Amino acid sequence: MPYLLLDEGAIVDSEHWSPEARNVVAAIFRLEHHRGTREAVELIGLLARWLEAPDQTRLRRHFAIWIKRVLLPNWIPESEGTEWQNLNELNEVHNMLAERAKRWSEQWKQQGLEEGLKQGREEGRKQGRQEGRKQGRQEGLMESEQKGEQKARLEVARNMIERTQLDDQTVADLSGLDIAQVRTLRDELKR
């Protein structure tokens, strides 16, 4: 069985295959490798014009079906998926694409912004939780250290009061407690 090998990439990128060239195969390859919605709409329009002869009706329908089944699912927003199923003519597909494609870039931009905000919020929350935990640990350690120091000062003052005859001011100076704390401790020990 004879066959013809075509290099899609070479046809799509070649200057010899200009947009004006009435070559359906080149247009199909370019459509598969389009660089944006606008280019795709233009290519479908070219195909529709090239195949407008009455004897090309079947071919136009086949192209419409191929575009609906193969290309459109990757192009159109999910919210518009079912409307395309009723299109059976290449001109209908082109007209609807030309009309709708103008709105899609705005929808995609809005969708991208929403996804970006959502991702930013999630990352912010995660980072906030991590920083909160870190700060909580640091504060907990500091508080623990402070309580430990306070407990140690009270223990030193208690030992001085019980074992020496030092006055409250001297005990306060040596233990690092204030005089009121030393007096309260002395009163507790007398009970």
Side-chain angles (χ1 to χ4, degrees):
M1 176 154 97
Y3 63 91
L4 175 63
L5 178 64
L6 298 173
D7 181 355
E8 287 184 41
I11 293 172
V12 170
D13 295 330
S14 174
E15 294 175 14
H16 301 291
W17 297 90
S18 67
E20 293 79 27
R22 294 178 54 117
N23 187 311
V24 175
V25 174
I28 293 168
F29 291 160
R30 288 180 56 222
L31 191 56
E32 286 182 333
H33 298 281
H34 72 283
R35 288 173 175 74
T37 310
R38 185 179 188 183
E39 182 181 4
V41 170
E42 289 174 9
L43 288 166
I44 292 171
L46 281 173
L47 280 173
R49 281 195 302 276
W50 293 341
L51 302 173
E52 63 188 0
D55 61 331
Q56 301 290 342
T57 302
R58 263 181 88 196
L59 191 54
R60 281 195 312 270
R61 285 198 181 119
H62 287 299
F63 274 120
I65 292 168
W66 175 73
I67 290 169
K68 283 188 330 187
R69 290 183 183 168
V70 177
L71 301 178
L72 287 182
N74 297 322
W75 296 354
I76 60 175
E78 291 176 13
S79 60
E80 295 187 25
T82 58
E83 295 179 44
W84 299 91
Q85 299 307 317
N86 298 329
L87 303 179
N88 294 317
E89 268 295 326
L90 195 56
N91 285 329
E92 294 173 341
V93 172
H94 174 257
N95 292 340
M96 189 171 250
L97 264 175
E99 174 190 328
R100 300 287 173 90
K102 296 171 190 171
R103 292 183 282 169
W104 291 347
S105 61
E106 259 325 293
Q107 288 175 338
W108 291 329
K109 187 186 298 181
Q110 184 63 35
Q111 185 180 14
L113 285 172
E114 289 170 7
E115 288 177 16
L117 284 172
K118 181 181 176 185
Q119 183 178 4
R121 285 186 191 117
E122 288 173 8
E123 288 178 16
R125 284 187 191 112
K126 181 180 177 183
Q127 186 176 5
R129 283 192 295 269
Q130 289 173 344
E131 288 178 13
R133 285 185 196 116
K134 182 178 178 182
Q135 185 177 356
R137 277 189 228 112
Q138 288 173 343
E139 289 175 3
L141 285 173
M142 286 175 53
E143 188 177 314
S144 179
E145 286 175 7
Q146 289 171 350
K147 285 180 182 179
E149 286 177 18
Q150 182 69 10
K151 189 174 179 181
R153 287 184 183 139
L154 285 169
E155 189 63 32
V156 168
R158 180 179 288 115
N159 288 336
M160 284 193 272
I161 292 169
E162 290 176 342
R163 297 180 184 165
T164 68
Q165 296 299 321
L166 296 173
D167 63 278
D168 291 347
Q169 184 60 52
T170 304
V171 171
D173 291 342
L174 293 173
S175 67
L177 296 175
D178 65 44
I179 190 115
Q181 289 175 305
V182 172
R183 287 184 183 142
T184 304
L185 181 59
R186 189 177 294 275
D187 289 342
E188 289 174 4
L189 291 172
K190 285 182 184 177
R191 292 184 207 155

